[in-house]
Amino acid sequence: MRRAAPFRAATAFTALCVVAAPTILAQSCSNYGSLLSNGTCDCPPGTGGNECSSLSCTNPLVEPSLRAVFNATTQSSTGCPGSSQCSSGFGGPTCGVCQSDAACQTVLGTMRVANTSEVQNPTLQSVFPGNTTLTIQKTANTSLSLSAPFGSDGTTQAQLWYADSGSNKTITEQFYCKADTCVQTNSTSTSTVDWSCQNLACTCIPGTMFCGGGGALDLTTTINGLSGTLDITCAQNGSTCAFKQSVLDTLFGANGLSLTGCSSGECVRASTIATLASQLVASDASSSSGLSPGVIAGLAVLGAIVLALLLMIVWGLVAQKEAKRAPAVVLDDKSAAVGLRWKDIGYTLRGSRRFFGLGSSRLENDGKVVLNGISGEVAPGTFLACLGPTGVGKSTLMDILGGKRKSGRISGSVELLSEGKTANKVLIGYVDQTDVLPPTSTVKEALMFAAELKLGESTPKEVKRERVFEVLKQLGLLDVADTFIGDVDRRGISGGERRRLSIGLELIAAPAILILDEPTSGLDSVSAMRVVQVLKTLASSTSGHRTTVIATLHQPNSQIFHSFDSVLVLGIGGRQIYHGPASKVVPSLAERGFKCPEGWNPADYLLELACDPPPHLFASHSADVSSSSSQAQPSEEESSKEVDVRALPAAQHASKGAKHLRQAKPATVMFTQFEVLAGREIRNLKRDWTLVVMHNLVAAIVGLVVGGLFYKVNTTIAGFQNRVGSLFFLGSLLAFSSLSALTNFLAVKSLFLRERAGAYYSPVAWLLSRVAFDIVPLRIIPTLIISCIVYWMVGLSHNAAHFFKFLLILVEFNIGTTLWNLFLAAAIPDPGTAILLSAVINLYTLAYAGFFLHLSDIPPVLRWLQWLAPLKYALEALAVNEVSAGLMIDDTLEGVKVQISAAVIMQTLFGFTPSAYYRDVLVLFAFIAGFAVLVVSTVVWKLREIR
């Protein structure tokens, strides 16, 4: 026989007990003893007497009924050893710890694991200042026992003993516990022995110091309520242990009650030790390789995201490869020119106005007529100018012919006129009145961007470059090809060059018909003339493809007017005054009694008539319309050509106009669109580095300020509040800094609307590139910078796992708030309203975060709003992550030293749930997913150009 150390034998382990279960005070046997048929009790080791309520001393290896009961008259504070009532070689309050091999050889038998430990906790010590000792006896394997053990395999019995520091120092039992389904593991990596049990139950003995017998605190309810899992973890040398259970962990920290001065021992056969040791090593190897459920779930989510991204990339590459195999777009210079004929075009307003940029309501002038029965045509390869004063519907007519989305009601029909087979993939190109261009791109880069997206993957790169050079040469932009476009804040190309560049972006795809709305607006006479000359050249080219041009002009000079092949004049009320050859406008009006004064510019005279037209002028315009087809032919050669007239299938539908003639969808696949858009975003970040530098520099500066304010917070109650305050400050900073995502989105929204209307790319591709190059450089990197500074300066948990969990929450929260602001920017047209609403919502999330106001104190009618506040989940997860590292509060309250788990203070001050970390991670992820769906839906379905 020999004595075995607790970490070497399966029955050896050190533990402390405080547990929960239904009390059994109604039984006649205490300490969970068994009532025998003869009316006596079969008592657990270490207890005796008629009801198993007394200490048993002398030799622990004999039957419990043969052991002497502790003589309480000795007033020993340590139990049997203090009164010399233990047999030689045994110690502990119940003589249950074997202290030498010689003691084991006195009687054959095996003692269950017997431990004795002193309970050391400042808070408990301040309430119960006497000597507190815990004894734990374990039955691990009855088959290895040399005597009849008490209980079945894998059971534990424990008693807590207390001796007051006053006059009566006799040790008395305060409560007792039991647990079953116990498993022991021996960890070589952490040098600890762990005894884990289930079904914990404890009973507080009424009338004792701990259980309402005159102590400063009655623990009856707490002790009787202990239940669930019991973990007893000891150092392998057996000197220190931790008694862990969920309630105790909440009260005293992640390690539960700390035990010091522990001793343990048992008697076993020498041959048993090697067998048990090998079993413990095997169990240690299997247990040390496992991952926690939270880590497994996190890795699963991360793996799913990575897999989804890889699948998207593979799908994109496959689709791109297939698109490159398609026939290349042929820009045939010899393809037939195309004209357009329209009949009885009308347009009526539906009438709506926005209410603070959020909704709409009907106007009294609903049904206002903008266009009234406009008919005409433009012959293939000619230049038609639409003239008229402001407000007569010129732009509206161009929108309808160009297939733009309109909010009003459209009527009439449109027909296509072709001289023969046309190879043009894009039939109509549209140049808007205002120039919306990327300011940080050069002229050549902007045209190349259009070529990459409009000519498709099947067109070789070299062909695209040649097309860009051809357009640059055709528009006279070669000298400024490498000049930045610029904007109001950055000087770039001139206004005339911007107009020609806007035209060039449409010419890249070689449209058959080019429609322009006020191409000379805001230009001086020289610049305007250059633009008109370019348009005239496009229409009258003799060496290449002829593009039919339709343009509105407000007040052209005489030289510009004589460049037109035909004109269409609209008057007040959207009615047509004249349509026919420009050269015959003066004679035609003279025949009707409207003679143009000598020396007048015909355009000026037409505008004067259009501003205040006589009624009979409208009555006579139908004759002009009926003969305009023959009159508009530019030459005898062209008049001899057979013109194919085709009614547009969708033209009869009032809501569509000529929409299907324009490029309806992007010419490239989404992966190519993302590549091209990403290239432009990277160029923008390189050239306009203000945002990137400011976000990261401000993050570093604010991080130092916050770190200085909360530098090395202590572990008092006030220090813990400061610790949570630093986390709240970080969350608030990220919430308000994400407002820049809203303003950045608004800055590029007009360019997106214009390019989407031109079918450059799909909205999803644009949104992916926008979000990727906003979130990574402007959200994630600054978050990492400020987190690394604040985390270590404040003195948060010095643990790598907790640091990365901290980063995960902040990154999740920042991405979520960024997506929310993107949604506001997409959904609300007015920037001021969007920013105001975002700021108000941020204030709401601050109020419901749980820092300023305890969540349970909020009136029930408003309390439910906490579940819609992302900052509440972020702050809770950050605080829980901090306390789960075992943070203990060491403070002094009115002279009494208090040591308690920070989880209790967290629940008391803020109402956070200690086990809520992974729930909060999933909720924040759900917010991200929900906001992403809102952003995508809004951009796809709402954020489009409607005139």
Side-chain angles (χ1 to χ4, degrees), residues 118 137 145 161 613 653 660 740 744:
E118 293 183 3
Q137 301 186 36
S145 177
W161 310 88
H653 298 281
H660 82 291
S740 63
N744 295 344

Short mmCIF file of all heavy atoms in Angstrom, two decimals, residues 118 137 145 161 613 653 660 740 744:
data_model
loop_
_atom_site.label_atom_id
_atom_site.label_comp_id
_atom_site.label_asym_id
_atom_site.label_seq_id
_atom_site.Cartn_x
_atom_site.Cartn_y
_atom_site.Cartn_z
N GLU A 118 -8.56 25.53 2.65
CA GLU A 118 -9.06 26.74 3.28
C GLU A 118 -9.67 27.64 2.21
O GLU A 118 -9.07 27.86 1.16
CB GLU A 118 -7.93 27.49 4.00
CG GLU A 118 -7.38 26.74 5.20
CD GLU A 118 -6.33 27.55 5.93
OE1 GLU A 118 -6.09 28.71 5.52
OE2 GLU A 118 -5.77 27.04 6.90
N GLN A 137 -14.67 14.64 -0.73
CA GLN A 137 -14.35 13.22 -0.83
C GLN A 137 -14.95 12.68 -2.13
O GLN A 137 -16.12 12.90 -2.42
CB GLN A 137 -14.91 12.47 0.37
CG GLN A 137 -14.35 13.00 1.69
CD GLN A 137 -14.77 12.18 2.88
OE1 GLN A 137 -14.88 10.96 2.77
NE2 GLN A 137 -15.00 12.84 4.00
N SER A 145 -11.26 -0.12 -5.40
CA SER A 145 -11.28 0.12 -3.96
C SER A 145 -11.04 -1.19 -3.21
O SER A 145 -11.58 -2.23 -3.57
CB SER A 145 -12.61 0.73 -3.54
OG SER A 145 -12.65 0.90 -2.16
N TRP A 161 -16.90 23.64 6.62
CA TRP A 161 -16.81 23.76 8.07
C TRP A 161 -16.37 25.17 8.41
O TRP A 161 -15.56 25.77 7.71
CB TRP A 161 -15.81 22.74 8.63
CG TRP A 161 -16.05 21.34 8.14
CD1 TRP A 161 -15.54 20.78 7.01
CD2 TRP A 161 -16.86 20.35 8.75
NE1 TRP A 161 -15.97 19.50 6.85
CE2 TRP A 161 -16.79 19.19 7.93
CE3 TRP A 161 -17.64 20.31 9.91
CZ2 TRP A 161 -17.47 18.03 8.24
CZ3 TRP A 161 -18.29 19.14 10.23
CH2 TRP A 161 -18.21 18.01 9.39
N PRO A 613 -46.72 83.09 -79.59
CA PRO A 613 -47.16 82.73 -80.95
C PRO A 613 -48.63 83.08 -81.20
O PRO A 613 -49.48 82.86 -80.33
CB PRO A 613 -46.94 81.22 -80.98
CG PRO A 613 -47.09 80.79 -79.56
CD PRO A 613 -46.59 81.93 -78.72
N HIS A 653 -46.36 51.76 -76.30
CA HIS A 653 -46.62 51.78 -74.87
C HIS A 653 -46.17 53.11 -74.32
O HIS A 653 -45.00 53.47 -74.37
CB HIS A 653 -45.88 50.63 -74.17
CG HIS A 653 -46.33 49.28 -74.65
ND1 HIS A 653 -47.49 48.69 -74.23
CD2 HIS A 653 -45.77 48.43 -75.54
CE1 HIS A 653 -47.64 47.52 -74.82
NE2 HIS A 653 -46.60 47.33 -75.63
N HIS A 660 -36.24 50.92 -75.49
CA HIS A 660 -35.52 49.70 -75.86
C HIS A 660 -34.49 49.93 -76.97
O HIS A 660 -33.71 49.06 -77.28
CB HIS A 660 -36.53 48.63 -76.30
CG HIS A 660 -36.99 48.77 -77.71
ND1 HIS A 660 -37.79 49.80 -78.11
CD2 HIS A 660 -36.74 48.00 -78.81
CE1 HIS A 660 -38.03 49.67 -79.41
NE2 HIS A 660 -37.42 48.59 -79.86
N SER A 740 -19.29 59.67 -42.44
CA SER A 740 -18.54 60.02 -43.66
C SER A 740 -18.92 59.09 -44.81
O SER A 740 -18.82 59.48 -45.98
CB SER A 740 -17.03 59.94 -43.39
OG SER A 740 -16.64 58.62 -43.06
N ASN A 744 -19.82 60.51 -48.46
CA ASN A 744 -19.07 60.00 -49.61
C ASN A 744 -20.01 59.41 -50.66
O ASN A 744 -19.82 59.59 -51.86
CB ASN A 744 -18.07 58.92 -49.16
CG ASN A 744 -16.99 59.46 -48.26
OD1 ASN A 744 -16.79 60.68 -48.19
ND2 ASN A 744 -16.30 58.60 -47.56
#
